[in-house]
Amino acid sequence: MPSWRRFHAQLADHMILIAGSLFMVLPAYSLFAATTHAAGSPVMLRLDLGTGAFENYSRFLTSGYGFSGDVTALTMLWNSLLLGAGFAGLKVVLSLVTAYALIYFRVRFANLIFSVLLLTLLLPLESRFLPTYDVVADLGLVNTRSGLILPLVASGLGTLFFRQFLLTVPDTLLESARLDGAGPLRFFRDILLPLSLPTAGALFLVLFVTGWNQYLWPVMVTSEESAYTLVRGMQFFGRASLPGMMLVVLAVLPPALLVILFQRQVVKGLFDGSH
């Protein structure tokens, strides 16, 4: 292909990518730009940045909202962080330990157990709301952060990722550890855990975004406003109000930044486990 044709082909590809990026980014940017103008300005999507961003967000984060007026945006932000980090952290730890036991221990019917774990993917929380809520209520975990996080942890997805990764670990590492006198815990701590960190980090980020965006389960299990997350708290505000727009920005910004900053590590960690 001549150089001028190659140049035009590359230019067309880049123009398509730029147009697609602008199509996805401009709505979020216009939403943020609308929240940077003074509170008395008309509430509308716009592209020009205002000078009231610091004042608007500082007042919004500390003001009381809800029927009681006691819950703040900072409280909801903290609850969202706890839900996302707690859900992702517990799920990663549980999945890694489960996959380690299935691969490196002589567990009877290990393949059958793994198949049963995968069946949980066919029963998401949305399909078992009522029995799960009954269990949480019987344990006294309604309107608690434990009740918000623990029912979301049980799933075979993380075990599937870690099992596939551990199957690629050479058997020579296990043999070398045995020759050095390392037991199962030391082998797990000193060898498998460092090797699993890229996969664990990538899976943690994906699960954090999933936990952060949970809506239906927080609606079911939280009735006290002090336990509301950002996504749950959107009912406090109208769609065209300035506080409502700022709440949407706060709900979208943290997971979006994490995905943008660590997207390469996520892809590498999930597909080849390398740095």
Side-chain angles (χ1 to χ4, degrees), residues 229-256:
T229 61
L230 285 174
V231 179
R232 176 77 166 90
M234 289 182 183
Q235 69 179 47
F236 291 149
F237 312 100
R239 296 181 179 178
S241 66
L242 183 60
M245 288 184 172
M246 288 190 286
L247 189 70
V248 172
V249 171
L250 287 180
V252 171
L253 191 58

Side-chain angles (χ1 to χ4, degrees), residues 15-26:
M15 292 300 295
I16 293 174
L17 291 174
I18 292 173
S21 300
L22 290 176
F23 179 77
M24 292 184 290
V25 171
L26 277 179

Side-chain angles (χ1 to χ4, degrees), residues 69-261:
D70 294 332
V71 62
T72 66
L74 280 177
T75 303
M76 293 185 285
L77 179 62
W78 176 245
N79 290 334
S80 293
L81 287 173
L82 287 179
L83 175 58
F87 164 69
L90 289 176
K91 201 176 188 69
V92 166
V93 172
L94 183 62
S95 300
L96 179 56
V97 173
T98 304
Y100 173 60
L102 292 175
I103 295 296
Y104 288 98
F105 288 86
R106 295 179 180 178
V107 180
R108 295 186 63 183
F109 310 113
N111 291 331
L112 177 60
I113 295 174
F114 179 64
S115 300
V116 173
L117 290 175
L118 290 184
L119 287 178
T120 60
L121 298 177
L122 304 178
L123 293 171
L125 186 63
E126 290 78 5
S127 66
R128 47 185 172 85
F129 266 151
L130 293 180
T132 304
Y133 180 82
D134 286 340
V135 173
V136 172
D138 291 340
L139 294 175
L141 298 179
V142 176
N143 287 315
T144 65
R145 294 186 177 95
S146 299
L148 198 62
I149 296 172
L150 292 180
L152 303 174
V153 172
S155 173
L157 180 62
T159 304
L160 172 64
F161 277 106
F162 281 116
R163 179 180 181 273
Q164 297 307 116
F165 168 74
L166 293 180
L167 287 174
T168 64
V169 176
D171 293 335
T172 53
L173 291 178
L174 177 59
E175 297 173 359
S176 300
R178 286 175 175 173
L179 291 176
D180 290 340
L185 291 178
R186 183 180 174 188
F187 173 67
F188 175 79
R189 181 191 62 197
D190 295 343
I191 297 178
L192 288 185
L193 188 58
L195 291 176
S196 303
L197 285 180
T199 302
L203 187 60
F204 178 90
L205 180 56
V206 173
L207 294 174
F208 176 85
V209 175
T210 303
W212 178 279
N213 292 326
Q214 284 290 325
Y215 174 73
L216 291 178
W217 179 244
V219 168
M220 288 285 295
V221 80
T222 58
S223 58
E224 295 181 1
E225 295 176 353
S226 59
Y228 279 14
T229 61
L230 285 174
V231 179
R232 176 77 166 90
M234 289 182 183
Q235 69 179 47
F236 291 149
F237 312 100
R239 296 181 179 178
S241 66
L242 183 60
M245 288 184 172
M246 288 190 286
L247 189 70
V248 172
V249 171
L250 287 180
V252 171
L253 191 58
L257 287 178
L258 287 176
V259 171
I260 292 172
L261 293 175

